[in-house]
PDB file of all heavy atoms in Angstrom:
ATOM      1  N   LEU A  31      43.629  23.327 -37.629  1.00 97.00           N
ATOM      2  CA  LEU A  31      43.796  22.715 -36.308  1.00 97.00           C
ATOM      3  C   LEU A  31      43.893  23.740 -35.179  1.00 97.00           C
ATOM      4  O   LEU A  31      43.820  23.378 -34.001  1.00 97.00           O
ATOM      5  CB  LEU A  31      45.059  21.836 -36.292  1.00 97.00           C
ATOM      6  CG  LEU A  31      45.011  20.596 -37.178  1.00 97.00           C
ATOM      7  CD1 LEU A  31      46.394  19.955 -37.252  1.00 97.00           C
ATOM      8  CD2 LEU A  31      43.980  19.609 -36.665  1.00 97.00           C
ATOM      9  N   ASP A  33      42.674  25.774 -32.735  1.00 95.00           N
ATOM     10  CA  ASP A  33      41.440  25.946 -31.979  1.00 95.00           C
ATOM     11  C   ASP A  33      41.702  26.898 -30.809  1.00 95.00           C
ATOM     12  O   ASP A  33      42.520  26.598 -29.939  1.00 95.00           O
ATOM     13  CB  ASP A  33      40.988  24.576 -31.465  1.00 95.00           C
ATOM     14  CG  ASP A  33      39.699  24.606 -30.690  1.00 95.00           C
ATOM     15  OD1 ASP A  33      39.284  25.678 -30.195  1.00 95.00           O
ATOM     16  OD2 ASP A  33      39.098  23.530 -30.543  1.00 95.00           O
ATOM     17  N   PRO A  34      41.020  28.024 -30.742  1.00 95.00           N
ATOM     18  CA  PRO A  34      41.283  28.995 -29.671  1.00 95.00           C
ATOM     19  C   PRO A  34      40.902  28.495 -28.282  1.00 95.00           C
ATOM     20  O   PRO A  34      41.392  29.007 -27.283  1.00 95.00           O
ATOM     21  CB  PRO A  34      40.439  30.205 -30.070  1.00 95.00           C
ATOM     22  CG  PRO A  34      39.346  29.644 -30.901  1.00 95.00           C
ATOM     23  CD  PRO A  34      39.954  28.477 -31.634  1.00 95.00           C
ATOM     24  N   ASP A  35      40.043  27.488 -28.203  1.00 95.00           N
ATOM     25  CA  ASP A  35      39.585  27.002 -26.902  1.00 95.00           C
ATOM     26  C   ASP A  35      40.374  25.803 -26.374  1.00 95.00           C
ATOM     27  O   ASP A  35      40.185  25.396 -25.238  1.00 95.00           O
ATOM     28  CB  ASP A  35      38.100  26.608 -26.988  1.00 95.00           C
ATOM     29  CG  ASP A  35      37.229  27.800 -27.345  1.00 95.00           C
ATOM     30  OD1 ASP A  35      37.504  28.912 -26.843  1.00 95.00           O
ATOM     31  OD2 ASP A  35      36.290  27.624 -28.143  1.00 95.00           O
ATOM     32  N   HIS A  36      41.227  25.237 -27.200  1.00 96.00           N
ATOM     33  CA  HIS A  36      41.990  24.052 -26.798  1.00 96.00           C
ATOM     34  C   HIS A  36      43.450  24.254 -27.191  1.00 96.00           C
ATOM     35  O   HIS A  36      43.830  24.014 -28.334  1.00 96.00           O
ATOM     36  CB  HIS A  36      41.420  22.798 -27.471  1.00 96.00           C
ATOM     37  CG  HIS A  36      40.029  22.515 -27.048  1.00 96.00           C
ATOM     38  ND1 HIS A  36      38.932  23.048 -27.695  1.00 96.00           N
ATOM     39  CD2 HIS A  36      39.550  21.770 -26.031  1.00 96.00           C
ATOM     40  CE1 HIS A  36      37.837  22.640 -27.087  1.00 96.00           C
ATOM     41  NE2 HIS A  36      38.181  21.862 -26.075  1.00 96.00           N
ATOM     42  N   MET A  37      44.246  24.663 -26.227  1.00 96.00           N
ATOM     43  CA  MET A  37      45.638  24.997 -26.523  1.00 96.00           C
ATOM     44  C   MET A  37      46.592  23.807 -26.387  1.00 96.00           C
ATOM     45  O   MET A  37      47.512  23.672 -27.174  1.00 96.00           O
ATOM     46  CB  MET A  37      46.104  26.135 -25.603  1.00 96.00           C
ATOM     47  CG  MET A  37      45.370  27.438 -25.855  1.00 96.00           C
ATOM     48  SD  MET A  37      45.539  28.051 -27.543  1.00 96.00           S
ATOM     49  CE  MET A  37      47.291  28.362 -27.597  1.00 96.00           C
ATOM     50  N   GLU A  38      46.404  22.958 -25.377  1.00 96.00           N
ATOM     51  CA  GLU A  38      47.335  21.854 -25.158  1.00 96.00           C
ATOM     52  C   GLU A  38      47.006  20.623 -25.992  1.00 96.00           C
ATOM     53  O   GLU A  38      47.914  19.909 -26.412  1.00 96.00           O
ATOM     54  CB  GLU A  38      47.372  21.465 -23.683  1.00 96.00           C
ATOM     55  CG  GLU A  38      48.027  22.514 -22.812  1.00 96.00           C
ATOM     56  CD  GLU A  38      48.113  22.081 -21.359  1.00 96.00           C
ATOM     57  OE1 GLU A  38      48.292  20.875 -21.094  1.00 96.00           O
ATOM     58  OE2 GLU A  38      48.008  22.952 -20.490  1.00 96.00           O
ATOM     59  N   PHE A  39      45.754  20.358 -26.187  1.00 95.00           N
ATOM     60  CA  PHE A  39      45.326  19.213 -26.988  1.00 95.00           C
ATOM     61  C   PHE A  39      43.916  19.482 -27.493  1.00 95.00           C
ATOM     62  O   PHE A  39      43.165  20.241 -26.886  1.00 95.00           O
ATOM     63  CB  PHE A  39      45.392  17.895 -26.206  1.00 95.00           C
ATOM     64  CG  PHE A  39      44.863  17.990 -24.813  1.00 95.00           C
ATOM     65  CD1 PHE A  39      43.504  17.881 -24.544  1.00 95.00           C
ATOM     66  CD2 PHE A  39      45.722  18.205 -23.745  1.00 95.00           C
ATOM     67  CE1 PHE A  39      43.016  17.983 -23.264  1.00 95.00           C
ATOM     68  CE2 PHE A  39      45.237  18.306 -22.449  1.00 95.00           C
ATOM     69  CZ  PHE A  39      43.889  18.193 -22.210  1.00 95.00           C
ATOM     70  N   PRO A  40      43.567  18.872 -28.621  1.00 96.00           N
ATOM     71  CA  PRO A  40      42.260  19.152 -29.217  1.00 96.00           C
ATOM     72  C   PRO A  40      41.118  18.469 -28.484  1.00 96.00           C
ATOM     73  O   PRO A  40      41.330  17.527 -27.712  1.00 96.00           O
ATOM     74  CB  PRO A  40      42.399  18.587 -30.634  1.00 96.00           C
ATOM     75  CG  PRO A  40      43.412  17.507 -30.496  1.00 96.00           C
ATOM     76  CD  PRO A  40      44.359  17.960 -29.423  1.00 96.00           C
ATOM     77  N   ARG A  41      39.931  18.925 -28.743  1.00 94.00           N
ATOM     78  CA  ARG A  41      38.722  18.294 -28.219  1.00 94.00           C
ATOM     79  C   ARG A  41      38.741  16.825 -28.646  1.00 94.00           C
ATOM     80  O   ARG A  41      39.088  16.500 -29.779  1.00 94.00           O
ATOM     81  CB  ARG A  41      37.500  18.994 -28.795  1.00 94.00           C
ATOM     82  CG  ARG A  41      36.173  18.462 -28.316  1.00 94.00           C
ATOM     83  CD  ARG A  41      34.981  19.125 -29.011  1.00 94.00           C
ATOM     84  NE  ARG A  41      35.222  20.439 -29.563  1.00 94.00           N
ATOM     85  CZ  ARG A  41      34.969  21.593 -28.916  1.00 94.00           C
ATOM     86  NH1 ARG A  41      34.466  21.573 -27.705  1.00 94.00           N
ATOM     87  NH2 ARG A  41      35.212  22.739 -29.507  1.00 94.00           N
ATOM     88  N   TYR A  43      40.738  14.484 -27.580  1.00 96.00           N
ATOM     89  CA  TYR A  43      42.092  13.913 -27.570  1.00 96.00           C
ATOM     90  C   TYR A  43      42.127  12.642 -26.724  1.00 96.00           C
ATOM     91  O   TYR A  43      41.652  12.624 -25.594  1.00 96.00           O
ATOM     92  CB  TYR A  43      43.069  14.948 -27.011  1.00 96.00           C
ATOM     93  CG  TYR A  43      44.492  14.506 -26.921  1.00 96.00           C
ATOM     94  CD1 TYR A  43      45.257  14.333 -28.069  1.00 96.00           C
ATOM     95  CD2 TYR A  43      45.092  14.276 -25.688  1.00 96.00           C
ATOM     96  CE1 TYR A  43      46.581  13.958 -27.990  1.00 96.00           C
ATOM     97  CE2 TYR A  43      46.413  13.894 -25.601  1.00 96.00           C
ATOM     98  CZ  TYR A  43      47.152  13.733 -26.756  1.00 96.00           C
ATOM     99  OH  TYR A  43      48.469  13.359 -26.682  1.00 96.00           O
ATOM    100  N   HIS A  45      44.608  10.426 -24.973  1.00 96.00           N
ATOM    101  CA  HIS A  45      46.002  10.332 -24.532  1.00 96.00           C
ATOM    102  C   HIS A  45      46.523   8.898 -24.587  1.00 96.00           C
ATOM    103  O   HIS A  45      47.668   8.666 -24.990  1.00 96.00           O
ATOM    104  CB  HIS A  45      46.150  10.890 -23.109  1.00 96.00           C
ATOM    105  CG  HIS A  45      47.555  10.822 -22.603  1.00 96.00           C
ATOM    106  ND1 HIS A  45      48.517  11.727 -22.991  1.00 96.00           N
ATOM    107  CD2 HIS A  45      48.172   9.936 -21.775  1.00 96.00           C
ATOM    108  CE1 HIS A  45      49.663  11.409 -22.415  1.00 96.00           C
ATOM    109  NE2 HIS A  45      49.477  10.335 -21.671  1.00 96.00           N
ATOM    110  N   VAL A  73      56.035  15.044 -20.844  1.00 95.00           N
ATOM    111  CA  VAL A  73      55.668  16.392 -21.274  1.00 95.00           C
ATOM    112  C   VAL A  73      54.354  16.817 -20.624  1.00 95.00           C
ATOM    113  O   VAL A  73      53.383  16.073 -20.634  1.00 95.00           O
ATOM    114  CB  VAL A  73      55.543  16.449 -22.810  1.00 95.00           C
ATOM    115  CG1 VAL A  73      55.105  17.820 -23.268  1.00 95.00           C
ATOM    116  CG2 VAL A  73      56.857  16.046 -23.452  1.00 95.00           C
ATOM    117  N   GLN A  74      54.348  18.019 -20.046  1.00 94.00           N
ATOM    118  CA  GLN A  74      53.139  18.599 -19.460  1.00 94.00           C
ATOM    119  C   GLN A  74      53.068  20.068 -19.851  1.00 94.00           C
ATOM    120  O   GLN A  74      54.083  20.691 -20.150  1.00 94.00           O
ATOM    121  CB  GLN A  74      53.172  18.491 -17.937  1.00 94.00           C
ATOM    122  CG  GLN A  74      53.152  17.076 -17.427  1.00 94.00           C
ATOM    123  CD  GLN A  74      53.185  17.034 -15.902  1.00 94.00           C
ATOM    124  OE1 GLN A  74      53.008  18.029 -15.218  1.00 94.00           O
ATOM    125  NE2 GLN A  74      53.411  15.852 -15.370  1.00 94.00           N
ATOM    126  N   ASP A  75      51.859  20.616 -19.816  1.00 95.00           N
ATOM    127  CA  ASP A  75      51.653  22.034 -20.135  1.00 95.00           C
ATOM    128  C   ASP A  75      52.253  22.376 -21.495  1.00 95.00           C
ATOM    129  O   ASP A  75      52.970  23.366 -21.646  1.00 95.00           O
ATOM    130  CB  ASP A  75      52.252  22.933 -19.051  1.00 95.00           C
ATOM    131  CG  ASP A  75      51.655  22.673 -17.685  1.00 95.00           C
ATOM    132  OD1 ASP A  75      50.447  22.382 -17.622  1.00 95.00           O
ATOM    133  OD2 ASP A  75      52.388  22.736 -16.685  1.00 95.00           O
ATOM    134  N   ALA A  76      51.941  21.544 -22.491  1.00 96.00           N
ATOM    135  CA  ALA A  76      52.535  21.709 -23.807  1.00 96.00           C
ATOM    136  C   ALA A  76      51.549  21.311 -24.897  1.00 96.00           C
ATOM    137  O   ALA A  76      50.570  20.616 -24.637  1.00 96.00           O
ATOM    138  CB  ALA A  76      53.785  20.839 -23.906  1.00 96.00           C
ATOM    139  N   SER A  77      51.854  21.730 -26.088  1.00 97.00           N
ATOM    140  CA  SER A  77      51.038  21.371 -27.241  1.00 97.00           C
ATOM    141  C   SER A  77      51.583  20.146 -27.972  1.00 97.00           C
ATOM    142  O   SER A  77      51.041  19.742 -28.981  1.00 97.00           O
ATOM    143  CB  SER A  77      50.956  22.560 -28.209  1.00 97.00           C
ATOM    144  OG  SER A  77      52.257  22.967 -28.598  1.00 97.00           O
ATOM    145  N   HIS A  78      52.656  19.575 -27.437  1.00 97.00           N
ATOM    146  CA  HIS A  78      53.206  18.367 -28.051  1.00 97.00           C
ATOM    147  C   HIS A  78      53.168  17.203 -27.065  1.00 97.00           C
ATOM    148  O   HIS A  78      53.112  17.393 -25.856  1.00 97.00           O
ATOM    149  CB  HIS A  78      54.626  18.604 -28.568  1.00 97.00           C
ATOM    150  CG  HIS A  78      55.666  18.789 -27.510  1.00 97.00           C
ATOM    151  ND1 HIS A  78      55.762  19.915 -26.747  1.00 97.00           N
ATOM    152  CD2 HIS A  78      56.658  17.974 -27.108  1.00 97.00           C
ATOM    153  CE1 HIS A  78      56.776  19.802 -25.907  1.00 97.00           C
ATOM    154  NE2 HIS A  78      57.341  18.619 -26.112  1.00 97.00           N
ATOM    155  N   HIS A  79      53.171  16.006 -27.626  1.00 97.00           N
ATOM    156  CA  HIS A  79      53.073  14.789 -26.817  1.00 97.00           C
ATOM    157  C   HIS A  79      54.429  14.359 -26.282  1.00 97.00           C
ATOM    158  O   HIS A  79      54.540  13.922 -25.142  1.00 97.00           O
ATOM    159  CB  HIS A  79      52.464  13.656 -27.651  1.00 97.00           C
ATOM    160  CG  HIS A  79      52.214  12.432 -26.855  1.00 97.00           C
ATOM    161  ND1 HIS A  79      51.071  12.276 -26.081  1.00 97.00           N
ATOM    162  CD2 HIS A  79      52.953  11.322 -26.662  1.00 97.00           C
ATOM    163  CE1 HIS A  79      51.139  11.106 -25.458  1.00 97.00           C
ATOM    164  NE2 HIS A  79      52.250  10.509 -25.798  1.00 97.00           N
ATOM    165  N   ILE A  99      56.377  15.054 -31.689  1.00 98.00           N
ATOM    166  CA  ILE A  99      55.015  14.693 -32.043  1.00 98.00           C
ATOM    167  C   ILE A  99      54.055  15.647 -31.339  1.00 98.00           C
ATOM    168  O   ILE A  99      54.101  15.805 -30.119  1.00 98.00           O
ATOM    169  CB  ILE A  99      54.705  13.234 -31.626  1.00 98.00           C
ATOM    170  CG1 ILE A  99      55.676  12.265 -32.311  1.00 98.00           C
ATOM    171  CG2 ILE A  99      53.249  12.883 -31.919  1.00 98.00           C
ATOM    172  CD1 ILE A  99      55.649  12.275 -33.824  1.00 98.00           C
ATOM    173  N   SER A 100      53.198  16.276 -32.115  1.00 98.00           N
ATOM    174  CA  SER A 100      52.208  17.213 -31.590  1.00 98.00           C
ATOM    175  C   SER A 100      51.008  16.459 -31.024  1.00 98.00           C
ATOM    176  O   SER A 100      50.746  15.314 -31.387  1.00 98.00           O
ATOM    177  CB  SER A 100      51.741  18.137 -32.721  1.00 98.00           C
ATOM    178  OG  SER A 100      50.737  19.020 -32.269  1.00 98.00           O
ATOM    179  N   ASN A 101      50.276  17.133 -30.173  1.00 97.00           N
ATOM    180  CA  ASN A 101      48.998  16.606 -29.698  1.00 97.00           C
ATOM    181  C   ASN A 101      47.888  16.844 -30.729  1.00 97.00           C
ATOM    182  O   ASN A 101      46.775  16.366 -30.555  1.00 97.00           O
ATOM    183  CB  ASN A 101      48.591  17.281 -28.387  1.00 97.00           C
ATOM    184  CG  ASN A 101      49.447  16.842 -27.233  1.00 97.00           C
ATOM    185  OD1 ASN A 101      49.967  15.735 -27.212  1.00 97.00           O
ATOM    186  ND2 ASN A 101      49.605  17.720 -26.252  1.00 97.00           N
ATOM    187  N   PHE A 102      48.184  17.587 -31.772  1.00 97.00           N
ATOM    188  CA  PHE A 102      47.173  18.005 -32.741  1.00 97.00           C
ATOM    189  C   PHE A 102      47.355  17.337 -34.095  1.00 97.00           C
ATOM    190  O   PHE A 102      48.452  17.347 -34.664  1.00 97.00           O
ATOM    191  CB  PHE A 102      47.236  19.527 -32.943  1.00 97.00           C
ATOM    192  CG  PHE A 102      46.750  20.305 -31.760  1.00 97.00           C
ATOM    193  CD1 PHE A 102      47.587  20.551 -30.683  1.00 97.00           C
ATOM    194  CD2 PHE A 102      45.450  20.779 -31.719  1.00 97.00           C
ATOM    195  CE1 PHE A 102      47.140  21.262 -29.587  1.00 97.00           C
ATOM    196  CE2 PHE A 102      44.994  21.494 -30.627  1.00 97.00           C
ATOM    197  CZ  PHE A 102      45.839  21.725 -29.554  1.00 97.00           C
ATOM    198  N   GLY A 103      46.283  16.797 -34.631  1.00 94.00           N
ATOM    199  CA  GLY A 103      46.192  16.380 -36.015  1.00 94.00           C
ATOM    200  C   GLY A 103      47.256  15.425 -36.525  1.00 94.00           C
ATOM    201  O   GLY A 103      47.589  15.467 -37.696  1.00 94.00           O
ATOM    202  N   SER A 160      43.959  31.912 -31.624  1.00 95.00           N
ATOM    203  CA  SER A 160      43.972  31.885 -30.154  1.00 95.00           C
ATOM    204  C   SER A 160      44.587  33.169 -29.599  1.00 95.00           C
ATOM    205  O   SER A 160      45.135  33.983 -30.340  1.00 95.00           O
ATOM    206  CB  SER A 160      44.769  30.679 -29.652  1.00 95.00           C
ATOM    207  OG  SER A 160      46.157  30.935 -29.724  1.00 95.00           O
ATOM    208  N   LEU A 162      47.221  33.215 -27.797  1.00 96.00           N
ATOM    209  CA  LEU A 162      48.590  32.833 -27.452  1.00 96.00           C
ATOM    210  C   LEU A 162      49.543  34.024 -27.452  1.00 96.00           C
ATOM    211  O   LEU A 162      50.391  34.155 -26.562  1.00 96.00           O
ATOM    212  CB  LEU A 162      49.085  31.759 -28.434  1.00 96.00           C
ATOM    213  CG  LEU A 162      50.457  31.155 -28.190  1.00 96.00           C
ATOM    214  CD1 LEU A 162      50.490  30.411 -26.865  1.00 96.00           C
ATOM    215  CD2 LEU A 162      50.819  30.218 -29.335  1.00 96.00           C
ATOM    216  N   THR A 176      55.627  27.015 -31.442  1.00 97.00           N
ATOM    217  CA  THR A 176      55.108  27.156 -30.086  1.00 97.00           C
ATOM    218  C   THR A 176      53.683  26.611 -30.012  1.00 97.00           C
ATOM    219  O   THR A 176      53.338  25.871 -29.085  1.00 97.00           O
ATOM    220  CB  THR A 176      55.095  28.643 -29.649  1.00 97.00           C
ATOM    221  OG1 THR A 176      56.371  29.226 -29.880  1.00 97.00           O
ATOM    222  CG2 THR A 176      54.704  28.770 -28.191  1.00 97.00           C
ATOM    223  N   ARG A 177      52.889  26.964 -30.991  1.00 98.00           N
ATOM    224  CA  ARG A 177      51.467  26.584 -30.978  1.00 98.00           C
ATOM    225  C   ARG A 177      51.269  25.069 -30.994  1.00 98.00           C
ATOM    226  O   ARG A 177      50.413  24.552 -30.304  1.00 98.00           O
ATOM    227  CB  ARG A 177      50.762  27.224 -32.189  1.00 98.00           C
ATOM    228  CG  ARG A 177      49.298  26.809 -32.346  1.00 98.00           C
ATOM    229  CD  ARG A 177      48.484  27.289 -31.143  1.00 98.00           C
ATOM    230  NE  ARG A 177      47.111  26.845 -31.198  1.00 98.00           N
ATOM    231  CZ  ARG A 177      46.656  25.746 -30.574  1.00 98.00           C
ATOM    232  NH1 ARG A 177      47.470  24.975 -29.885  1.00 98.00           N
ATOM    233  NH2 ARG A 177      45.378  25.434 -30.642  1.00 98.00           N
ATOM    234  N   PHE A 178      52.058  24.350 -31.773  1.00 98.00           N
ATOM    235  CA  PHE A 178      51.801  22.920 -31.933  1.00 98.00           C
ATOM    236  C   PHE A 178      52.917  21.980 -31.475  1.00 98.00           C
ATOM    237  O   PHE A 178      52.694  20.771 -31.400  1.00 98.00           O
ATOM    238  CB  PHE A 178      51.482  22.601 -33.398  1.00 98.00           C
ATOM    239  CG  PHE A 178      50.166  23.159 -33.852  1.00 98.00           C
ATOM    240  CD1 PHE A 178      50.105  24.132 -34.825  1.00 98.00           C
ATOM    241  CD2 PHE A 178      48.986  22.703 -33.282  1.00 98.00           C
ATOM    242  CE1 PHE A 178      48.871  24.635 -35.230  1.00 98.00           C
ATOM    243  CE2 PHE A 178      47.760  23.211 -33.681  1.00 98.00           C
ATOM    244  CZ  PHE A 178      47.701  24.177 -34.660  1.00 98.00           C
ATOM    245  N   PHE A 179      54.109  22.500 -31.141  1.00 97.00           N
ATOM    246  CA  PHE A 179      55.234  21.620 -30.829  1.00 97.00           C
ATOM    247  C   PHE A 179      56.081  22.088 -29.649  1.00 97.00           C
ATOM    248  O   PHE A 179      57.268  21.772 -29.585  1.00 97.00           O
ATOM    249  CB  PHE A 179      56.152  21.482 -32.063  1.00 97.00           C
ATOM    250  CG  PHE A 179      55.522  20.760 -33.215  1.00 97.00           C
ATOM    251  CD1 PHE A 179      54.932  21.471 -34.257  1.00 97.00           C
ATOM    252  CD2 PHE A 179      55.527  19.382 -33.270  1.00 97.00           C
ATOM    253  CE1 PHE A 179      54.353  20.811 -35.322  1.00 97.00           C
ATOM    254  CE2 PHE A 179      54.942  18.712 -34.334  1.00 97.00           C
ATOM    255  CZ  PHE A 179      54.356  19.427 -35.362  1.00 97.00           C
ATOM    256  N   ASP A 180      55.495  22.797 -28.703  1.00 96.00           N
ATOM    257  CA  ASP A 180      56.322  23.360 -27.641  1.00 96.00           C
ATOM    258  C   ASP A 180      55.562  23.416 -26.326  1.00 96.00           C
ATOM    259  O   ASP A 180      54.378  23.073 -26.254  1.00 96.00           O
ATOM    260  CB  ASP A 180      56.781  24.766 -28.036  1.00 96.00           C
ATOM    261  CG  ASP A 180      58.123  25.153 -27.441  1.00 96.00           C
ATOM    262  OD1 ASP A 180      58.554  24.525 -26.450  1.00 96.00           O
ATOM    263  OD2 ASP A 180      58.739  26.090 -27.975  1.00 96.00           O
ATOM    264  N   TYR A 181      56.248  23.892 -25.321  1.00 94.00           N
ATOM    265  CA  TYR A 181      55.615  24.133 -24.013  1.00 94.00           C
ATOM    266  C   TYR A 181      54.866  25.446 -24.095  1.00 94.00           C
ATOM    267  O   TYR A 181      55.285  26.377 -24.777  1.00 94.00           O
ATOM    268  CB  TYR A 181      56.675  24.187 -22.913  1.00 94.00           C
ATOM    269  CG  TYR A 181      57.296  22.833 -22.679  1.00 94.00           C
ATOM    270  CD1 TYR A 181      58.438  22.448 -23.363  1.00 94.00           C
ATOM    271  CD2 TYR A 181      56.704  21.937 -21.800  1.00 94.00           C
ATOM    272  CE1 TYR A 181      58.976  21.186 -23.183  1.00 94.00           C
ATOM    273  CE2 TYR A 181      57.242  20.663 -21.605  1.00 94.00           C
ATOM    274  CZ  TYR A 181      58.374  20.311 -22.304  1.00 94.00           C
ATOM    275  OH  TYR A 181      58.894  19.054 -22.117  1.00 94.00           O
ATOM    276  N   LEU A 182      53.731  25.508 -23.411  1.00 89.00           N
ATOM    277  CA  LEU A 182      52.909  26.726 -23.453  1.00 89.00           C
ATOM    278  C   LEU A 182      53.012  27.497 -22.158  1.00 89.00           C
ATOM    279  O   LEU A 182      53.322  26.996 -21.138  1.00 89.00           O
ATOM    280  CB  LEU A 182      51.451  26.347 -23.725  1.00 89.00           C
ATOM    281  CG  LEU A 182      51.221  25.640 -25.061  1.00 89.00           C
ATOM    282  CD1 LEU A 182      49.796  25.136 -25.167  1.00 89.00           C
ATOM    283  CD2 LEU A 182      51.538  26.576 -26.212  1.00 89.00           C
TER     284      LEU A 182
END
Side-chain angles (χ1 to χ4, degrees):
L31 293 170
D33 181 340
D35 298 321
H36 297 89
M37 295 301 296
E38 290 183 34
F39 44 84
R41 181 185 336 266
Y43 179 71
H45 180 78
V73 178
Q74 296 180 12
D75 301 324
S77 57
H78 70 288
H79 186 83
I99 301 300
S100 177
N101 289 331
F102 289 82
S160 79
L162 184 63
T176 309
R177 175 63 184 96
F178 291 115
F179 293 97
D180 210 341
Y181 291 91
L182 299 172

